[in-house]
Amino acid sequence: MSATVIRGSEIAQTIRAEIAEEVKKLQQEQQITPGLVTILVGEDPASQSYVAAKNKTAGQLGIHSKQLTLPAETSEADLLEIVARYNQDETIHGILVQLPLPRHIDEGKVLFAIDPAKDVDGFHPVNVGKMVLGEQCFLPCTPHGILELLSRSGVETSGAEVVIIGRSNIVGKPVANLMLQKRDSGNATVTLCHTRTRDLQFHTRRADILIVAAGVAQMIGAEDVKEGVVVIDVGVNRVGETASGKAKLVGDVDFEAVAAKAAAITPVPGGVGPMTITMLMKNTLQAARQAGELQTS
Ligand code: GUN
């Protein structure tokens, strides 16, 4: 079997064009320019490149964006003060604190401090709770991007055996939750695997849809999947990094080997990554619209 490559970069372009149109409309009709601030603490090269990509995309779509880079030694109190400042700033509709944070800062405390109405990552407990209940809220960007990829590629999730590897708060837990809900790209039978799963291959081999977010380079090979599986590879692993910082990006899936057996598969790069950023833009637009509705009501 020769797999269909699910090109997230192309699907993302289509959605970004729709967002750019909506941003223009919001400006013309309500004189509101969506505003996003990204806050990065420290110098992790992967985080730096993610944040730069988020700000660049915002600019391309007409979203006003501010990139704040703080030293690794920034105290928790200072970071909380900065978040509080942007909670009050009417030109900023979305606040994104890039994770992970340095160890001396309590991540939960910082995420809790963000105004839920500006929580475009969907990480605030209020938004997490609403998501679990199936209420309208900001959906976390990577899980939302995965759902969009599946639906825009015509993958049927209803009744499907979905196996997810990785139980992070950012990907595994929320995507599991969304896919079991009665909703578009939901209604699946979900199995969530993790580092303590006894027989991982037993689960992966019976997956109709396999979502891998483990952070282990090329851990899934052809022997781990069944013929006709749909594979979503969330992994971004830098391998062969040189002193000059050059590295090759590979996913958690051995793309060539698994593509030979799969019905469809996402590449790395150019799969899930561009969709995550696109969903962040969508949430920022939504946050700006909601702020506009509050002003006029
Ligand atoms: N670190 C890895 N993914 C994400 C994300 O989607 N949002 C934030 N804020 N940090 C991340």
Side-chain angles (χ1 to χ4, degrees), residues 161-165 190-194 197-210 224-226 229:
E161 292 289 337
V162 172
V163 176
I164 299 160
I165 310 178
V190 176
T191 304
L192 183 49
C193 301
H194 46 76
T197 294
R198 210 180 300 139
D199 184 353
L200 185 62
Q201 200 182 59
F202 165 80
H203 296 287
T204 60
R205 284 174 69 100
R206 51 172 203 84
D208 299 318
I209 300 171
L210 178 64
D224 300 314
V225 299
K226 73 175 181 190
V229 65

Side-chain angles (χ1 to χ4, degrees), residues 32-49:
I32 296 173
T33 301
L36 170 71
V37 63
T38 63
I39 305 172
L40 171 64
V41 186
E43 289 168 5
D44 176 60
S47 292
Q48 280 174 335
S49 80

